[in-house]
Amino acid sequence: MICIFDILFLIFDIPTPELPEVETIKRQLADTIVGCKITNVWFDNPKSLQSNPLIFVKGVKGAIIQKIDRRAKLVIFYLDGSKAFVVHLRMTGRLLIRKAGDSIDAFAHVVLSLEKGLELRFCDARKFGFMRFLKDQKELKELLLGYGPEPLDDLSLEKFRQILSKNQRSIKEVLTDQKLISGIGNIYANDGLWLAKTHPLEPANKVDAAIVFKAIEKVLTEGLKDGGASDQWYVNAFGAKGKYQEHFKVYGRIGKPCLRCKTIIKRIVVASRGTFYCPKCQVF
DNA sequence: AGTGCGACCTGATCGC
DNA sequence: TGCGATCAGGTCGCAC
C-alpha cells in the first residue's frame, strides 16, 4: 500500500550529481575550454568561493586552463604555474558553458569570463556547492588524499573486498562513504544494490563483494552512457539533460512495481538518506 | 576508534 | 493569497 507519506517522500527526494554526472560535465569542459585564458571573475556569493574569495579571484584571473580532470565528485581545473581550482556541485550545482551574451542563468553565483567570448558559469540553487582555489600541486594532492579509489578506474575487486571486510556498517553507507570509495552517491548506490539483490542495510562485511562490485560497475557505466540522471536539477555543461532517470531501477520508484518481481518498491531512511529497495529481491 | 547527528541552504510543497 | 513549517541532499565537524 502507498500511503500519503510515501507520496510526500516521492516528491522530495532529489537526485544529485555523482560520478557519471560529474564525468559527463568534465568531458564536455575538457573538449571545449582547455587552453582558454580566464579573463575575469564575477561572483555574488562569497561562500561559493571557499576560503578567501579574493585569493580565488587573484589566483584564477589571467590564468590559462591547462587540463580538466575529475576525481571523486570534484571537477579539477589545472591552471598554469601549478595552480588549480576544483568545483564540487554537491546537490543543485551546475557548471555551464555559455556565450558571453547569453541570457542570465538562474542561481548563477560565479561566472568566469573566458577567451573566445565564452563563460563558465557556476549556478547553485541551494548554495551547497563550491569552487576552491589551490595555490600549488601540493595543496591539491592533500585535498585529493581524502578520497578513496575510483570505482571505474583504480578499484580492483580485491581492494573492494578488503574495504568491505573491514567495515560492519551497512553496505549502503560504505558505498557512499567518499573516504572509502569515491564518486558513488544515493542514486547509484540504491540502483547498484538492487542489481546485486543486496539489502541496503546488510553489514558491508557480510555481503557478496564480487556481486556488489560488478553491479556498481554496471550502473555507473550505464549512468555514464546515458549522460547522467536529470530528474530535478542536473544538467550537463551545455544545459542538456541526461537520460539515466529513464532507467532508474529503484531510485525514486517508491510505490512502483519492482522491475524484476513486481513487488512494490519501499523507501526507508539509511544514515539520514532516502533509500529504495525491493522487499522481495533484496533480503538478508 | 567508531559512530551518529546537527549544521549548512533554499526551492518546492503542504497545512492552515 | 500567503505565511510558516517541513524536507532533501553531500560533507564537515563536533559530541558521545
Side-chain angles (χ1 to χ4, degrees):
Chain A
M1 272 299 277
I2 309 170
C3 68
I4 182 70
F5 298 107
D6 294 340
I7 293 164
L8 285 180
F9 284 135
L10 183 64
I11 293 161
F12 286 130
D13 285 299
I14 300 176
T16 59
E18 305 177 26
L19 187 153
E21 289 75 23
V22 181
E23 177 67 20
T24 300
I25 291 175
K26 169 237 143 179
R27 289 178 184 179
Q28 294 172 326
L29 294 174
D31 286 345
T32 324
I33 59 169
V34 165
C36 283
K37 188 180 193 171
I38 300 165
T39 54
N40 201 22
V41 182
W42 171 93
F43 65 94
D44 76 343
N45 177 42
K47 282 192 177 169
S48 296
L49 298 175
Q50 263 198 356
S51 64
N52 187 337
L54 294 179
I55 290 175
F56 182 95
V57 174
K58 200 175 163 224
V60 161
K61 202 170 161 179
I64 292 166
I65 300 169
Q66 303 286 346
K67 189 178 140 195
I68 299 173
D69 223 331
R70 180 193 60 79
R71 177 78 175 90
K73 299 174 191 170
L74 293 170
V75 185
I76 307 166
F77 295 77
Y78 292 90
L79 307 175
D80 46 329
S82 129
K83 299 180 292 187
F85 69 91
V86 295
V87 180
H88 197 308
L89 302 174
R90 287 282 180 95
M91 288 183 72
T92 56
R94 289 172 168 174
L95 266 180
L96 295 164
I97 301 166
R98 300 292 198 200
K99 291 194 185 110
D102 286 348
S103 55
I104 294 166
D105 284 295
F107 318 113
H109 295 303
V110 184
V111 177
L112 306 186
S113 301
L114 308 172
E115 286 175 331
K116 302 183 196 169
L118 294 174
E119 286 181 356
L120 179 64
R121 301 181 184 176
F122 174 68
C123 309
D124 189 7
R126 301 278 157 94
K127 296 182 182 169
F128 263 30
F130 59 85
M131 301 177 96
R132 180 162 156 194
F133 177 72
L134 303 146
K135 67 176 190 302
D136 53 34
Q137 292 301 304
K138 191 174 157 244
E139 223 175 80
L140 177 63
K141 222 171 197 171
E142 274 165 20
L143 172 71
L144 300 183
L145 266 179
Y147 292 95
E150 287 286 328
L152 294 183
D153 192 3
D154 48 340
L155 178 63
S156 64
L157 171 58
E158 215 27 63
K159 208 185 273 181
F160 185 66
R161 204 191 300 275
Q162 259 177 41
I163 292 167
L164 298 200
S165 69
K166 279 189 235 156
N167 241 296
Q168 46 189 348
R169 291 153 68 207
S170 72
I171 180 65
K172 197 201 165 200
E173 282 179 84
V174 170
L175 288 177
T176 54
D177 187 335
Q178 302 302 299
K179 291 186 287 297
L180 300 176
I181 303 160
S182 58
I184 303 170
N186 216 15
I187 299 170
Y188 298 96
N190 274 291
D191 275 12
L193 288 173
W194 177 85
L195 202 60
K197 298 189 183 174
T198 301
H199 195 290
L201 281 176
E202 189 167 344
N205 56 2
K206 298 271 190 282
V207 306
D208 187 322
I211 289 176
V212 175
F213 182 74
K214 215 171 163 189
I216 289 296
E217 213 170 49
K218 184 150 194 287
V219 290
L220 289 175
T221 308
E222 228 176 287
L224 197 51
K225 204 178 86 202
D226 282 337
S230 292
D231 235 19
Q232 306 227 347
W233 287 97
Y234 170 75
V235 291
N236 66 29
F238 302 126
K241 293 189 169 204
K243 285 204 170 68
Y244 184 74
Q245 70 282 3
E246 296 165 19
H247 306 129
F248 281 157
K249 301 174 193 335
V250 275
Y251 184 84
R253 296 193 67 247
I254 186 170
K256 293 182 181 162
C258 169
L259 298 176
R260 268 191 305 245
C261 74
K262 309 276 186 283
T263 303
I264 297 302
I265 298 300
K266 276 192 153 182
R267 182 192 192 272
I268 52 173
V269 174
V270 178
S272 322
R273 295 296 169 256
T275 301
F276 306 87
Y277 74 106
C278 169
K280 194 177 165 198
C281 295
Q282 296 168 265
V283 287
F284 74 104

